[in-house]
Amino acid sequence: MKKLGIGLLVLLALAALAYGVFIQLGGSNPIELKLVSATPPSLAGKTYRGTPQDKALGDTFRSIETLQSLHPGKKIHTIYLVEPAGKLDTMEVFVGLDLPFAPVELEPKTFAEARYVLATIKGSRWVMPGPDTVKEEIEAFAEENQLKLSGIFIDRIVSDTEVQVIAPVK
């Protein structure tokens, strides 16, 4: 009986420690939502079509990261046009930078909407909420504010501990 009590105390201590680490990494940070009266940023980038395991996906991201090094202050943006359900499923993702004009080798993405919902997520990437959770929060915010979303969700990678999601409003 004494061993069971000690075991439970150790388990309780480990659970408390894990919860403390979760909180320290930003696991309980709320998703900040606001309506922005501006056009979403124009993007210049590349579209990747293939499986998540294909080397070409990494090459696509690396080429945009190289371009980013030539444009300090610009952020990488991604738009998942087709999300894969598994490792072997086909995906389609646009990866780009917030550049006003696309260089010849890149495709431009511009948006006609004059407003967007901006979701800001802060914390370690290990404890950030998943994309479905963020999307649900944005959709709930839009519904509460009687906004009709375009259906596009643009991820902006601000830093290792901050990601923003831009959802244009029709």
Side-chain angles (χ1 to χ4, degrees):
M1 199 63 162
K2 190 176 182 181
K3 287 182 182 180
L4 181 61
I6 290 172
L8 286 174
L9 281 176
V10 168
L11 225 93
L12 185 61
L14 286 174
L17 178 65
Y19 182 71
V21 170
F22 177 77
I23 297 298
Q24 189 69 24
L25 292 174
S28 66
N29 292 351
I31 298 171
E32 300 170 25
L33 295 160
K34 68 179 179 179
L35 181 62
V36 177
S37 293
T39 302
S42 295
L43 304 174
K46 296 179 178 183
T47 299
Y48 166 79
R49 288 173 198 83
T51 62
Q53 298 182 125
D54 191 335
K55 177 185 173 288
L57 176 60
D59 293 343
T60 301
F61 272 93
R62 278 188 288 285
S63 70
I64 299 302
E65 288 168 352
T66 300
L67 182 63
Q68 183 184 27
S69 68
L70 301 174
H71 297 277
K74 299 301 180 187
K75 304 296 179 195
I76 293 178
H77 293 65
T78 58
I79 303 172
Y80 286 85
L81 305 164
V82 176
E83 293 197 40
K87 292 179 183 179
L88 301 177
D89 288 338
T90 299
M91 68 181 293
E92 186 174 350
V93 61
F94 175 85
V95 184
L97 293 179
D98 49 333
L99 297 174
F101 303 103
V104 173
E105 69 278 7
L106 299 178
E107 47 184 287
K109 284 261 190 234
T110 58
F111 306 91
E113 295 84 0
R115 299 182 300 165
Y116 58 89
V117 175
L118 178 66
T120 303
I121 305 102
K122 294 180 182 177
S124 168
R125 65 184 171 136
W126 301 107
V127 297
M128 280 189 184
D132 290 337
T133 302
V134 175
K135 185 177 175 182
E136 288 169 9
E137 292 272 339
I138 291 171
E139 289 170 340
F141 178 85
E143 189 174 315
E144 287 172 18
N145 292 281
Q146 298 159 347
L147 303 169
K148 183 159 174 62
L149 298 175
S150 69
I152 296 171
F153 295 88
I154 307 163
D155 299 337
R156 177 190 297 159
I157 303 165
V158 178
S159 71
D160 289 341
T161 59
E162 182 177 349
V163 174
Q164 294 177 331
V165 180
I166 299 166
V169 174
K170 286 185 181 181

